[in-house]
Amino acid sequence: MAYWLMRSEPDAYSWERLVEDKGTEWDGVRNSTARIHLRAMKPGDLAFFYHSNEQKAAVGIMRIAREGRPDGEDGKWVSVAVEPVKPLARLVTLKAIKAEPRLSALEMLRQSRLSVSPVRDEEWMVMLELGETRL
DNA sequence: GCCAACGTTGGC
DNA sequence: GCCAACGTTGGC
């Protein structure tokens, strides 16, 4: 099983909205690196939901509910289905992520503009620890 | 096929 | 409001 981090501006689509909807189609991603990650996702994989801009923090945990399918007019992009698992008991802010040496190699820090990025097993555990959350 | 110009995104 | 990073576009 793989772990991911997926980002959205809360104004565009928020964690609260996802919980309300009980799941959503994560579409509209128009970046080829992000597409590679979307294609690699398998049902059952887990992902942090990160709020960019105002909040700048991971707020919850999602499960990949369905593998990628074609997205966009010409179908050359990819979308997956996601569903909420549980909120993080404590927000994991970007500040906290940057301050944690064990997260210094986190893909999202390396490629700050990437909206879908992989998270290593060890990094996932550290994030959960910072979020004071158990699955 | 290369690269400069430009647009977009996200953080500060 | 600014700037850095980076993807895309268009001219050559």
Side-chain angles (χ1 to χ4, degrees):
Chain A
M1 180 180 67
Y3 299 113
W4 311 94
L5 185 147
M6 300 166 83
R7 146 161 78 197
S8 173
E9 295 183 27
D11 282 352
Y13 194 85
S14 66
W15 166 259
E16 290 73 22
R17 185 77 194 285
L18 177 74
V19 170
E20 230 177 86
D21 295 347
K22 299 188 169 63
T24 194
E25 187 70 22
W26 200 276
D27 56 11
V29 176
R30 296 293 180 267
N31 172 285
S32 49
T33 306
R35 179 173 56 188
I36 291 170
H37 300 318
L38 289 170
R39 279 199 181 121
M41 289 180 182
K42 299 251 179 352
D45 283 359
L46 296 173
F48 288 114
F49 191 125
Y50 177 93
H51 278 164
S52 58
N53 285 344
E54 308 100 273
Q55 198 159 28
K56 289 182 292 249
V59 296
I61 298 165
M62 309 186 281
R63 177 182 294 114
I64 307 305
R66 197 215 60 241
E67 64 188 13
R69 73 178 182 203
D71 179 35
E73 218 166 288
D74 47 10
K76 66 173 193 141
W77 297 103
V78 175
S79 67
V80 296
V82 296
E83 58 193 21
V85 175
K86 59 155 61 171
L88 288 166
R90 188 192 162 107
L91 299 186
V92 181
T93 62
L94 180 62
K95 203 175 154 192
I97 292 171
K98 284 188 166 170
E100 171 53 66
R102 290 174 294 168
L103 295 177
S104 60
L106 193 69
E107 196 58 23
M108 141 189 237
L109 292 181
R110 247 176 37 83
Q111 278 226 69
S112 62
R113 283 180 52 199
L114 195 57
S115 67
V116 180
S117 60
V119 176
R120 296 171 187 85
D121 292 8
E122 323 84 77
E123 293 167 340
W124 179 268
M125 298 308 164
V126 173
M127 291 278 292
L128 283 185
E129 186 187 313
L130 295 180
E132 296 173 5
T133 303
R134 283 173 181 281
L135 279 171

